[in-house]
Amino acid sequence: MKNPRTTVRLALRAPALWPPARWGAALAAAVLTALAAGLPTAVIPNPVFGRTVPTTWWSYPVLAATAVLGGLLLATYVRIGAERRTEPPEPDGPERRRRRLGTAGGLLSFLAVGCPVCNKVVLLLLGTSGAMTVWAPVQPVLAVASVVLLAVATAQRLAGEAACGALPGAAPAAAASGAPGLPTAPDAHDTRRG
């Protein structure tokens, strides 16, 4: 799946094959992701955490994108049905890379939407004025990077599910796409005998 178009095409088909349990896991993971990133950064107002700098307008869509992508990504790791009775395979190189991309995307999102002067590490390294003049302008770049990393990790996981038939009905969807390197679905008018 080196072709990005094939990856996107397969990634868009995979959730259509998900059973309700997987969608429930995705919804729960999305809510938990939003709370995990939004509460401590006070993007979601709450009585425990506060901000000394108002929330930027772009923090809300970044938090929403992080929640949706994080929910979808985390749901791909939920084992349902018969797969729960088998041992999960050891992650190979590409799978470890996808996990690192997803983790980095989530962490960058948290840093991007957080209050620039509430981050203790930034304050220790740059001071208050440095947090506002150096760190705050970098945060939108971190936000874009976080969404891109989460999107790539999610697309690759979803495409992998559809391409390898990890879900019921996934193999025909991947084969019907005519993706390079995948067997094509038999044509109704195919006269070959197999």
Side-chain angles (χ1 to χ4, degrees), residues 1 5 13 51 78 92 115 119 121 123 133 148 157 167 171 183 186:
M1 277 186 297
R5 287 185 181 169
R13 290 181 185 197
R51 293 177 71 106
V78 173
D92 58 0
C115 169
N119 186 326
V121 175
L123 280 178
T133 60
V148 168
R157 285 283 302 174
L167 296 169

Side-chain angles (χ1 to χ4, degrees), residues 145-173:
S146 72
V147 172
V148 168
L149 290 175
L150 282 169
V152 168
T154 303
Q156 288 178 355
R157 285 283 302 174
L158 290 172
E161 281 186 350
C164 73
L167 296 169

Side-chain angles (χ1 to χ4, degrees), residues 89-134:
E90 282 296 315
D92 58 0
E95 177 55 28
R96 284 193 294 273
R97 183 175 163 269
R98 284 189 287 271
R99 288 181 182 186
R100 285 193 299 266
L101 287 175
T103 302
L107 179 60
L108 285 178
S109 178
F110 180 81
L111 294 173
V113 300
C115 169
V117 295
C118 301
N119 186 326
K120 303 300 183 222
V121 175
V122 171
L123 280 178
L124 285 172
L125 292 174
L126 303 173
T128 304
S129 63
M132 292 304 294
T133 60
V134 175

